[in-house]
Amino acid sequence: MTAPDTPATAVQSRRWRRVKLAASALAIVAMVTTGAVASWIVSLGPLPLANAREVSRTVLDRNGKLLRAFAMADGRWRLPVDASTDVDPGYLNLLLGYEDQRFYSHIGVDPLALGRAALQLLTRGHIISGGSTITMQLARLIEPRRQRSIYAKLHQMVRALQLEYELPKSQILDLYLTLAPFGGNLEGIRAASLAYFGKEPKRLSLAESALLVALPQSPERRRLDRHPAAARAARDRVLVRMVEDARIDADDAKRAMAVPVMRMRQPFPMLAPHSADQAMATNKNSNLIRLTLESGLQRQLEALAHDRAAALGPEISVGIVAVDNATGDVMAHVGSADYFDERLAGQVDMTRAVRSPGSTLKPFIYGLAFEDGLVHPDSLIDDHPVRFGSYAPENFDMTFQGTVPVRRALQLSLNVPAIELLDRVGASRLSSRLKQAGASLVLPKDEAPGLAMGLGGVGVTLHDLVQVYSGIPRLGNVMPLREFERRDSGVREPLRLLDPVAAWQVGNVLLGTPPPENAVRNRIAFKTGTSYGYRDAWSVGFDGRMTIGVWVGRPDGAPVPGLIGRVAAAPILFDAFARTGSLLAPLPKAPRGTLTTANNAKLPLPLRRFRSAGELIRTDNNERRLHIQFPLNGSRIDAGAGQGTLSPLLVKVTGGSLPMTMLVNGKAVGAIDGRRQRMIDPPGPGFVRLTVMDAAGTADTVTVRIQ
């Protein structure tokens, strides 16, 4: 039998029931609240990071320096930032000290900072420091909210926790530095530093760093271009606070406070605009495009083109292309004298415009003649009146030099010798060889290559002209030009222009071309050209490291009286080399087997004097024509290449006049004997060109494959 409850026991029992009811009620409330909070968090969805990662499209040079940036579709400037490489450490020290001292230790929300901010608000009546971490500020930037409420703050805190869970601290800091507002249409530290100080934020002064820390707190009220006084006051408050926290020295802060705040915004970099436009058009899905250009050289040559064009006339423009011989990388690309000048059609890239090259193709005529064994640089050639059907070439000064060395004929750019050689080499062969080396020649409609192309009767671009010229210091191999760096571009194979000996001979001759006034001789191998009617002036030159081409003229193609390559373009070329910032590199040494004698009398008899096609025809009427009887052209010769050593090859000829000279790949190897034959040692497996030249200057050539 249970004893009845006493009054005291009854009271205690009722209290216990109340506690249990209260606890149950609290548990139910907690469960409901937790469920509601969880449901609310779930309703927020994933972090909207895609929009936050949208940035302005930027074009960089080969070293990662900014050439040009493009505003986003809504007009904002937002440049990508990597805090570890793009930002001054002093700025980061101030930013973290002022905004978030425990950034690297908290989980997105800093209870100590929130408590401190609340206490300061209660004790002082106004906000001394904010309680938001950098992660919370990033959350607000990702999902902007106009109203300031407890709900908005809780929203930021939840998003901050999500950010810390999904991203490492480095990415959180990079995103904040990319999105932080700095007034107007400027977002991110790079856009602000470029707009306000005209430089990247890699090296900021203390005054600049403090100013950039202060601006995002109230970006519109502290805009430098509208409220410089408010911006300066905010900067100074940052400096005072950092002195109090012992992050900077008081004397340094005092000197920084004395620095005035500049009101004017600086223009964003605008280097290589034509290259940037082309990069944007061909890389539509990439926000970051890297070019092979070198920003320092690009800036120098843009200034050179602008200044020289202004000195030459109000409607004159200048195009310049500079390339690295070894790699084919375009180091500088100046498409016009002024990108924004409508009179000059400044936005038209004149390095890609098809123009008449004048005499700039002559070195390749001579190169093929050297390759074929028709002449040597020290051979003699006649410069006299001559007619090819209805075509009668004349020299620029309307005079003739008589008999001159081939070397001098090219250096003086004499027209008649060049056309005589082209007549022997063949215009179609010249055209084919240049196209093989990457130059797209444009002929008049329905016309085949003819002798007039040797004096400019064909169209070519400065870009292509520089490409083929860069093959001369490479001893005949052309590396295709490259301006955009692509990871998937693969290995580029060189293109054939000339044999090594012929290419070296052309370069050696051009090295002796008389330079412009006040320039040093024998430093740059170069050639000039002037198109018909004084419409285009050209100069292309090279040393052992770089090839540079210059075009001068009116973009509309109108004549400019007195516009001559030697006077207008050559001085720009020499100045461009002077602005490369490096010493001129010597040209390669002569390939093995090159006949380098400077004495005409020591040349093989057929090479002492060039004979035109007309003279050869007259000779052939009286003598049996020279012909290589063996081996046959296009034949395959088994010389035992698989055994490691090659057997000698017998060459037999018929006709012609003794003495005869034997050439292998353009190199003289000795004389044909009285039986009109000679044993030669093949240079190696592969294609070999065999040429025999007789005393009258006639020649025959076959190409065979040694295997």
Side-chain angles (χ1 to χ4, degrees):
M1 183 173 180
T2 304
D5 291 340
T6 64
T9 302
V11 171
Q12 185 177 1
S13 178
R14 286 193 299 271
R15 287 177 177 174
W16 178 244
R17 285 196 301 270
R18 289 171 182 168
V19 170
K20 288 192 293 182
L21 287 172
S24 298
L26 288 174
I28 293 171
V29 170
M31 291 175 62
V32 172
T33 303
T34 302
V37 171
S39 177
W40 172 59
I41 293 175
V42 171
S43 70
L44 294 179
L47 285 165
L49 292 176
N51 292 337
R53 289 194 169 107
E54 291 182 0
V55 293
S56 298
R57 300 185 70 183
T58 54
V59 181
L60 309 180
D61 81 341
R62 66 191 300 111
N63 300 313
K65 294 183 178 180
L66 183 65
L67 293 170
R68 187 178 177 187
F70 294 83
M72 299 174 67
D74 57 5
R76 289 175 296 162
W77 293 97
R78 181 197 290 175
L79 306 183
V81 179
D82 184 340
S84 63
T85 58
D86 297 337
V87 183
D88 190 290
Y91 165 79
L92 294 176
N93 176 54
L94 295 188
L95 174 68
L96 297 179
Y98 195 79
E99 293 287 353
D100 194 349
Q101 296 182 18
R102 284 172 289 279
F103 171 72
Y104 287 104
S105 60
H106 64 62
I107 60 171
V109 178
D110 188 353
L112 294 177
L114 290 172
R116 183 190 68 241
L119 180 61
Q120 291 172 341
L121 178 61
L122 291 174
T123 57
R124 303 194 186 186
H126 61 277
I127 296 176
I128 301 299
S129 61
S132 296
T133 63
I134 283 180
T135 313
M136 291 172 62
Q137 294 180 49
L138 174 59
R140 186 175 68 247
L141 294 171
I142 292 176
E143 292 182 310
R145 290 176 178 271
R146 292 186 178 182
Q147 71 275 15
R148 304 185 67 177
S149 62
I150 295 178
Y151 174 81
K153 184 63 68 175
L154 289 173
H155 187 278
Q156 290 175 23
M157 295 170 68
V158 171
R159 285 305 201 190
L161 294 174
Q162 286 181 283
L163 283 167
E164 293 279 349
Y165 179 77
E166 294 188 18
L167 302 177
K169 290 285 187 180
S170 60
Q171 290 188 26
I172 292 173
L173 184 57
D174 290 348
L175 274 175
Y176 172 79
L177 294 175
T178 302
L179 299 176
F182 286 88
N185 62 348
L186 300 177
E187 293 185 1
I189 183 68
R190 286 185 68 198
S193 182
L194 289 166
Y196 293 141
F197 311 132
K199 64 180 181 180
E200 293 277 4
K202 293 183 179 181
R203 293 179 178 82
L204 296 172
S205 68
L206 180 58
E208 293 167 344
S209 295
L211 182 60
L212 293 178
V213 168
L215 290 182
Q217 299 172 18
S218 186
E220 292 305 318
R221 294 181 181 179
R222 298 173 183 175
R223 282 181 59 171
L224 269 65
D225 54 346
R226 294 184 180 179
H227 310 291
R232 181 169 188 170
R235 177 200 69 182
D236 293 349
R237 286 195 295 272
V238 171
L239 292 169
V240 170
R241 167 94 171 275
M242 293 298 96
V243 171
E244 293 174 353
D245 292 350
R247 284 188 174 262
I248 60 175
D249 183 76
D251 291 337
D252 292 339
K254 185 177 180 180
R255 285 190 290 270
M257 290 181 187
V259 177
V261 171
M262 303 302 294
R263 184 166 186 163
M264 296 296 295
R265 277 180 56 163
Q266 304 294 321
F268 279 84
M270 188 68 174
L271 287 173
H274 299 91
S275 298
D277 287 346
Q278 187 177 1
M280 289 285 289
T282 56
N283 297 271
K284 296 181 179 180
N285 298 323
S286 176
N287 286 329
L288 185 65
I289 304 170
R290 189 183 294 270
L291 304 183
T292 63
L293 306 182
E294 199 282 311
S295 60
L297 180 60
Q298 179 71 28
R299 183 178 291 104
Q300 290 280 350
L301 297 191
E302 283 187 11
L304 173 64
H306 181 273
D307 295 343
R308 291 300 181 90
L312 288 169
E315 297 179 319
I316 299 295
S317 190
V318 172
I320 305 175
V321 175
V323 305
D324 180 85
N325 295 335
T327 63
D329 287 352
V330 179
M331 306 296 289
H333 173 175
V334 182
S336 67
D338 189 339
Y339 183 77
F340 296 103
D341 193 330
E342 293 184 1
R343 296 178 306 167
L344 302 180
Q347 296 186 20
V348 176
D349 186 354
M350 296 309 300
T351 70
R352 301 277 185 174
V354 177
R355 312 289 290 216
S356 167
S359 297
T360 56
L361 298 184
K362 287 179 181 176
F364 307 106
I365 299 173
Y366 283 81
L368 290 177
F370 295 152
E371 185 178 293
D372 290 347
L374 299 178
V375 289
H376 180 274
D378 297 302
S379 301
L380 297 178
I381 192 168
D382 291 330
D383 178 35
H384 57 82
V386 65
R387 179 175 292 277
F388 299 87
S390 61
Y391 179 51
E394 296 178 333
N395 289 321
F396 187 79
D397 60 2
M398 307 302 291
T399 64
F400 296 95
Q401 299 291 318
T403 301
V404 295
V406 165
R407 179 186 306 274
R408 183 170 176 80
L410 177 54
Q411 291 171 349
L412 296 181
S413 195
L414 300 179
N415 289 342
V416 172
I419 298 303
E420 292 267 24
L421 290 174
L422 181 58
D423 187 44
R424 290 286 301 276
V425 167
S428 295
R429 181 157 172 253
L430 173 65
S431 175
S432 176
R433 185 65 65 86
L434 290 175
K435 289 182 179 179
Q436 178 180 316
S440 297
L441 304 182
V442 180
L443 291 163
K445 187 177 181 181
D446 299 327
E447 284 195 19
L451 296 180
M453 68 180 295
L455 304 183
V458 67
V460 71
T461 67
L462 178 62
H463 175 276
D464 287 0
L465 199 58
V466 170
Q467 174 166 311
V468 291
Y469 263 86
S470 68
I472 300 176
R474 285 179 54 87
L475 296 182
N477 288 321
V478 174
M479 185 62 70
L481 300 193
R482 181 183 69 158
E483 196 165 335
F484 307 127
E485 290 191 353
R486 294 191 181 99
R487 294 181 180 179
D488 59 347
S489 59
V491 178
R492 291 170 295 152
E493 293 294 333
L495 307 173
R496 180 172 180 261
L497 174 68
L498 294 169
D499 281 353
V501 171
W504 181 87
Q505 289 174 326
V506 171
N508 179 260
V509 171
L510 294 180
L511 189 62
T513 302
E517 292 185 12
N518 303 320
V520 181
R521 294 181 65 96
N522 300 320
R523 299 294 299 278
I524 300 171
F526 77 105
K527 182 72 181 73
T528 61
T530 305
S531 68
Y532 177 77
Y534 303 100
R535 289 174 168 83
D536 309 276
W538 305 81
S539 187
V540 188
F542 51 87
D543 65 355
R545 183 177 65 91
M546 183 174 290
T547 299
I548 300 178
V550 176
W551 168 87
V552 181
R554 285 183 49 158
D556 61 4
V560 181
L563 186 72
I564 301 172
R566 183 169 191 78
V567 176
I572 300 177
L573 173 71
F574 275 71
D575 202 345
F577 270 101
R579 298 192 185 196
T580 60
S582 59
L583 297 176
L584 295 175
L587 294 177
K589 295 181 180 179
R592 188 175 180 180
T594 304
L595 184 61
T596 58
T597 178
N599 189 336
N600 179 269
K602 293 183 178 180
L603 292 175
L605 185 59
L607 289 177
R608 293 179 187 176
R609 187 183 186 95
F610 172 75
R611 299 184 65 188
S612 67
E615 292 181 88
L616 294 177
I617 292 173
R618 288 193 296 273
T619 301
D620 288 344
N621 290 332
N622 301 319
E623 300 179 13
R624 196 153 57 103
R625 186 174 180 82
L626 174 65
H627 174 65
I628 296 178
Q629 189 177 32
F630 180 85
L632 298 177
N633 186 42
S635 61
R636 296 171 180 258
I637 307 297
D638 186 1
Q643 284 74 40
T645 58
L646 296 176
S647 302
L649 173 64
L650 176 65
V651 178
K652 292 184 177 181
V653 300
T654 60
S657 303
L658 294 173
M660 301 180 187
T661 301
M662 181 78 221
L663 298 97
V664 178
N665 289 337
K667 301 176 185 178
V669 296
I672 298 292
D673 62 25
R675 295 177 299 171
R676 284 180 162 76
Q677 63 184 31
R678 180 178 179 84
M679 299 293 294
I680 64 167
D681 294 322
F687 290 100
V688 177
R689 191 179 64 259
L690 307 175
T691 302
V692 177
M693 182 177 294
D694 71 359
T698 59
D700 191 25
T701 298
V702 298
T703 300
V704 299
R705 185 169 184 172
I706 304 296
Q707 55 188 22

